[in-house]
Amino acid sequence: MSGNRNEKFMRIALKLAEKGITSPNPYVGAVIVKDGRVMGKGYHKRAGMDHAEVAAIKSLKNASDAKGAEMFVGLEPCNHYGRTPPCTKAIMEAGIGKVVFAMKDPNPEVKGGGEEELRKHGIAVESGVLEPEAQRINEIFVKYAKTRMPFVALKAAMSMDGKIATRNGDSKWITGEKARKYAHLLRSKYDSILVGINTVLKDDPQLTSRIRGGRNPLRVVLDDTLRIPNNAKVLADKNALVATSGKCDPARKMELEASGVRVLVCGKETVDLGALLAELGRMGITSVLVEGGSEVQGSFVDAKLVDKFLLFYAPIIIGGRGARPAIGGTGAETVSGAPKLAISSSRKIGHDIFVEAYPEQQ
């Protein structure tokens, strides 16, 4: 029974965690339970703000409710000073009697220590409750903490037959309003959003997160020869990076940089995607949302650089030999050799279907 009970309260904590926009920090929620009742709840909202454990303690109606209570939290409580004091200190001062957490902190620079510190001060600790679920929620944080490489998600909105535009190039709008709103929420969860120069030239997108409380990601444009116009909307607030190649015009590069735009040379003839990702990682960018177009999507798939697929399917058939597919690039030579995906979830958003999937080897 205790297993089911612990999982019940941990699920509440993990659900709370997903409400935050916390990069470069992990998503963490916490629940304080006493005599089988939830007394307090909290989650880490943004980097620099209270961690989930502190937020949950502050949510208590009476401070005495923490005495001898249990705390369920998605991540091992921190035991170091960063932007905020150690959560272990707040837990001990509150009088919490037991801490149940889902996963250890994967950051080698932090080296955990929270569990040991709590036990040393007489607080019971249990770990590993719903650990796979917690790992999935914090997949961006886990990959970056271990590799210093950004987590790459590919997002595509397409017809049921896998097209992102008609033979005449029309693409607005394939998916419905609810799906597009959810896509803007996804943007606010990622540190950067990446498109190719053809998407910029054709659509002149803003690539912003137009939701209340959201944040705008760094916009990354792949542009081998620096064709991007000075008045492109993605450059409007200078929160952009143009990745180019050795073929670019040095004068044009200097012009863009003089206007405040970051320009990064990655590769001789074309942008080297692996080198670009490594540089973004060094910049502290923990995640990349690849949004297009077709050839950019295909190049990431061909290079096996995608960690997760976020696919929106609209209930329409576009058809046509000249219609643009969602995934271009070289593609697989044989069906048996095609990359295989493991679907983790699928659901309807409005009239559309949203599918989350991972490369099978992961």
Side-chain angles (χ1 to χ4, degrees):
M1 279 297 291
S2 65
N4 291 338
R5 173 184 176 278
N6 285 355
E7 290 180 4
K8 169 189 169 183
F9 292 123
M10 188 61 77
R11 283 197 172 88
I12 298 173
L14 296 181
K15 190 69 176 176
L16 281 168
E18 294 183 283
K19 296 171 69 174
I21 300 176
T22 60
S23 180
N25 293 349
Y27 298 115
V28 186
V31 177
I32 297 173
V33 177
K34 196 171 189 178
D35 299 326
R37 293 192 304 124
V38 173
M39 309 298 290
K41 296 187 293 185
Y43 66 97
H44 184 39
K45 294 181 179 180
R46 287 181 184 264
M49 297 182 70
D50 286 339
H51 285 190
E53 297 94 324
V54 174
I57 291 168
K58 287 183 176 180
S59 76
L60 294 170
K61 290 183 178 179
N62 302 298
S64 60
D65 289 337
K67 303 296 182 184
E70 295 173 279
M71 175 179 283
F72 293 82
V73 60
L75 184 71
E76 177 185 13
C78 66
N79 189 44
H80 64 280
Y81 283 88
R83 292 190 189 180
T84 58
C87 289
T88 52
K89 184 173 183 288
I91 290 169
M92 291 184 289
E93 290 176 349
I96 297 291
K98 181 179 181 179
V99 173
V100 181
F101 67 85
M103 59 178 277
K104 282 187 170 289
D105 193 327
N107 189 345
E109 295 179 4
V110 172
K111 298 180 181 176
E115 179 176 0
E116 291 79 2
E117 182 72 6
L118 294 173
R119 290 187 188 278
K120 189 168 71 176
H121 287 82
I123 298 174
V125 180
E126 183 176 343
S127 64
V129 176
L130 298 186
E131 182 175 5
E133 289 89 336
Q135 293 269 359
R136 185 57 55 87
I137 288 171
N138 275 306
E139 59 196 1
I140 291 173
F141 178 74
V142 169
K143 180 183 178 182
Y144 186 75
K146 290 182 175 180
T147 69
R148 289 299 180 228
M149 289 286 283
F151 184 92
V152 177
L154 185 152
K155 194 218 85 176
M158 68 194 88
S159 61
M160 283 293 179
D161 56 334
K163 308 296 185 181
I164 60 172
T166 68
R167 67 180 185 276
N168 297 321
D170 182 46
S171 60
K172 293 193 172 43
W173 294 101
I174 290 178
T175 52
E177 184 178 350
K178 289 184 178 179
R180 295 198 301 275
K181 185 176 180 180
Y182 185 71
H184 283 289
L185 175 63
L186 286 174
R187 285 180 178 177
S188 73
K189 296 282 188 179
Y190 283 79
D191 284 354
S192 64
I193 180 170
L194 183 149
V195 298
I197 183 59
N198 289 331
T199 295
V200 173
L201 295 175
K202 177 181 179 293
D203 299 331
D204 195 20
Q206 297 180 59
L207 302 181
T208 53
S209 174
R210 294 183 284 279
I211 60 169
R212 181 178 296 179
R215 60 162 187 161
N216 290 329
L218 171 72
R219 275 85 83 191
V220 180
V221 180
L222 304 185
D223 185 0
D224 293 340
T225 56
L226 295 183
R227 292 184 290 151
I228 191 166
N230 290 339
N231 62 351
K233 290 178 181 176
V234 291
L235 304 181
D237 63 357
K238 303 300 185 290
N239 184 30
L241 182 149
V242 180
T244 190
S245 73
K247 292 195 305 182
C248 74
D249 180 354
R252 176 61 179 146
K253 179 176 179 290
M254 290 177 63
E255 180 186 3
L256 283 168
E257 290 174 332
S259 70
V261 177
R262 283 171 286 184
V263 181
L264 186 65
V265 178
C266 294
K268 294 181 179 180
E269 300 292 320
T270 60
V271 174
D272 183 321
L273 298 180
L276 171 60
L277 292 175
E279 185 59 36
L280 290 174
R282 284 190 285 271
M283 291 169 54
I285 301 297
T286 68
S287 58
V288 179
L289 182 64
V290 180
E291 281 210 6
S294 176
E295 290 306 309
V296 169
Q297 309 274 48
S299 64
F300 271 87
V301 173
D302 288 341
K304 298 181 179 178
L305 293 173
V306 181
D307 296 300
K308 184 177 187 177
F309 291 83
L310 305 168
L311 307 175
F312 294 85
Y313 290 92
I316 58 172
I317 299 293
I318 289 179
R321 285 184 293 274
R324 186 166 291 276
I327 310 294
T330 303
E333 292 186 5
T334 64
V335 172
S336 62
K340 295 175 177 58
L341 304 183
I343 296 175
S344 62
S345 69
S346 62
R347 66 182 186 275
K348 287 191 72 176
I349 299 180
H351 297 295
D352 306 308
I353 296 173
F354 176 57
V355 175
E356 293 182 280
Y358 297 84
E360 209 169 63
Q361 68 269 22
Q362 296 179 25

